[in-house]
Amino acid sequence: LKKIIANESNDPIALFTLGRIYRRKKDFHKAVDYFKKCYKVSDIRNRVKSADQIGGTLREWINVPTLSNEEKEKIKKKAVELYQSFLTPYPDDKRLKYGLAKAYLLEPLKNGDILKGVEILTGILKSEIKDRETIKELLYLWAKYDNNTIKEIISGKSELFQNNHTFLLREIIK
């Protein structure tokens, strides 16, 4: 692959494959670099795929136990910024919206991060009412940050998300 890249640096398949290889090897910096190169030379369909891989790599990178909080904050900020920039040309792409929500929900959490993530996820549900991944993520958030059981969430006794976003999800779960 490296030889192919050296001879033909605009081959999106080779760039994408190298990104995946480096991601599996946990060399996140190189993985992101290759996915970014792939994004730049890809057609529309593969740009979204590359963008999602960049974000996913950043979300995986932030979980490295040896990173300081400062390093995690930088990676999280970069993930949010990149997803926002990727959504500009592709505002309706569900994968990118979901990735942005997940980026907001990465540790370390700051004021408003959870609500931004929840707002994006419920926005996805408004257009795709039975999106299992989104429902699962919202339930996880309620359970994790509000110490609720599924029964409390469905009955509306959850206190953290007492707003218009919860009504939609409770109705879907019922």
Side-chain angles (χ1 to χ4, degrees), residues 148-165:
N148 288 298
T149 64
I150 299 298
K151 185 176 179 180
E152 290 170 325
I153 294 167
I154 293 170
S155 69
K157 294 179 182 173
S158 170
E159 293 181 22
L160 182 61
F161 301 114
Q162 285 297 325
N163 57 39
N164 61 352
H165 303 304

Side-chain angles (χ1 to χ4, degrees), residues 26-145:
K26 307 287 187 215
D27 190 339
F28 300 116
H29 192 272
K30 281 186 181 177
V32 168
D33 285 345
Y34 279 110
F35 288 132
K36 282 182 179 179
K37 289 176 186 176
C38 181
Y39 179 85
K40 289 177 184 174
V41 300
S42 292
D43 60 16
I44 291 171
R45 183 179 54 101
N46 287 321
R47 274 197 179 143
V48 171
K49 192 174 171 183
S50 298
D52 192 44
Q53 286 295 317
I54 293 167
T57 302
L58 291 170
R59 292 193 325 261
E60 188 177 340
W61 189 356
I62 209 166
N63 292 317
V64 172
T66 56
L67 290 177
S68 69
N69 274 346
E70 185 178 308
E71 291 169 314
K72 288 180 180 187
E73 285 179 24
K74 285 180 184 176
I75 294 169
K76 178 180 178 173
K77 181 180 179 189
K78 188 69 172 171
V80 168
E81 289 171 352
L82 282 170
Y83 271 115
Q84 288 170 333
S85 72
F86 295 144
L87 278 165
T88 300
Y90 310 106
D92 298 324
D93 190 88
K94 187 185 89 171
R95 272 189 304 184
L96 296 178
K97 288 179 185 179
Y98 186 75
L100 177 60
K102 296 280 285 185
Y104 274 118
L105 300 170
L106 292 169
E107 299 288 341
L109 289 169
K110 292 186 177 178
N111 266 352
D113 284 354
I114 294 174
L115 292 178
K116 286 177 187 174
V118 167
E119 185 177 334
I120 294 165
L121 292 171
T122 54
I124 293 170
L125 283 179
K126 286 178 183 176
S127 63
E128 297 187 39
I129 201 93
K130 296 199 180 203
D131 186 301
R132 290 177 178 256
E133 285 299 309
T134 304
I135 292 169
K136 183 177 81 173
E137 189 66 31
L138 283 168
L139 286 171
Y140 168 76
L141 285 172
W142 264 319
K144 180 176 179 182
Y145 295 106

